[in-house]
Amino acid sequence: CEDAECLKVCPTGATYRDKNGLIMIDAKRCMGCQYCVVACPYMARFFNEGRAPPEGVPVMVDDRDRWGTVEKCDFCIDRVEAGGQPACVEACPYSARIFGDLDNPDDKIWEIINTKQLVTLKDGNKTSVYYVKVSK
């Protein structure tokens, strides 16, 4: 979102805009107040209640830091920065999901954004998540 409500309400600065323009959550700074969950018009955030993992599941250090915090899709930014695509894009059997650089005319997403009729889930939020409008 260009004018993200979650950024405005986060008291600790855990919700931030990264260098790519994505809204992210720093789990180490999140105190779990859930203000951002309420502020998000897309219901894209959820509270991870801090339950321990099932017995026998290895615990990663990063996972311990995330228990009891708010989470959201991070567009698999680690995969993207390594030159890949988000997991949902790669796994979609119908190639219905596309991820890319909206400002790069050489990117496949740029052509779609500039040639198709698009809609967003809610008007007025200036989001960068689009859906191709399908005529009935």
Side-chain angles (χ1 to χ4, degrees):
C1 299
E2 188 175 305
D3 188 28
E5 292 298 320
C6 55
L7 282 172
K8 298 174 188 175
V9 300
C10 182
T12 64
T15 295
Y16 67 98
R17 185 178 310 276
D18 78 356
K19 65 183 181 213
N20 300 305
L22 298 174
I23 304 296
M24 305 297 277
I25 301 171
D26 180 347
K28 292 178 182 169
R29 296 182 74 181
C30 179
M31 66 183 199
C33 69
Q34 302 182 57
Y35 291 166
C36 62
V37 174
V38 174
C40 179
Y42 301 104
M43 298 185 301
R45 291 166 174 255
F46 62 93
F47 184 67
N48 182 334
E49 296 179 4
R51 287 173 266 190
E55 191 168 328
V57 173
V59 177
M60 304 299 287
V61 173
D62 290 342
D63 287 338
R64 276 190 225 116
D65 292 339
R66 292 181 7 202
W67 296 341
T69 63
V70 173
E71 296 182 27
K72 65 178 271 310
C73 170
D74 66 0
F75 296 98
C76 297
I77 195 62
D78 53 333
R79 295 170 63 118
V80 171
E81 288 179 345
Q85 291 285 303
C88 63
V89 173
E90 288 185 10
C92 182
Y94 301 105
S95 300
R97 295 175 181 250
I98 301 169
F99 184 87
D101 184 349
L102 298 175
D103 298 322
N104 180 356
D106 295 327
D107 201 312
K108 180 180 180 182
I109 194 72
W110 193 88
E111 179 184 347
I112 292 168
I113 293 293
N114 289 286
T115 61
K116 304 284 185 184
Q117 188 174 7
L118 306 171
V119 295
T120 58
L121 287 180
K122 294 186 183 254
D123 292 332
N125 289 313
K126 297 183 180 173
T127 180
S128 294
V129 176
Y130 299 97
Y131 300 87
V132 176
K133 187 173 182 178
V134 177
S135 300
K136 291 184 179 181

